[in-house]
Amino acid sequence: MIRNISVPLVVLSALSACATGPDAPAGLRDYSAIATLPPSPRARLYADCVAASVAAGTYAHAQNHDTDMVVFTCDGRPARAFYEGLAERSAAVGSQFVHDGRTWRSTNRVERDLFGVDVCSTDGTADFRCSISLNAGPFLRESAD
């Protein structure tokens, strides 16, 4: 009789060990809404640029070998506000540079290239442009068919 109970217990133990192995989540999944804060003035810079980009239809898909992003590009007033809003941060992290006759400011230092970098630039007069990258993942590569 003990033998009959032992076999199911061993099988159950083996299955539960598989379910809690390194590939399984450590605990139960939490589907609660993420706690948020009221938007900061800097969040407004992002929102205004994305809204202007959507309204103008100036957004596109960018990808490299393992990253897919939606890149929103704005100009005009939202781009100027974002560019000016980056002044303090760019000075602090050393992310302002000059390239092709434009002065660029980015949210973080450019390591290799502009892929995935949120960046604004100006020609020094009235031409301001910003690009904001949203990492959307492989969903962008999948066919809608």
Side-chain angles (χ1 to χ4, degrees), residues 34-98:
I34 296 172
T36 61
L37 302 170
S40 69
R42 289 181 175 170
R44 183 62 184 222
L45 297 172
Y46 276 94
D48 289 348
C49 184
V50 169
S53 173
V54 171
T58 53
Y59 55 93
H61 178 186
Q63 69 182 49
N64 67 9
H65 64 284
D66 65 350
T67 304
D68 288 82
M69 295 182 296
V70 179
V71 179
F72 298 91
T73 303
C74 69
D75 59 9
R77 186 176 13 205
R80 182 180 188 141
F82 206 142
Y83 178 85
E84 290 171 354
L86 283 170
E88 186 179 320
R89 168 102 179 138
S90 289
V93 300
S95 65
Q96 180 171 310
F97 56 95
V98 176

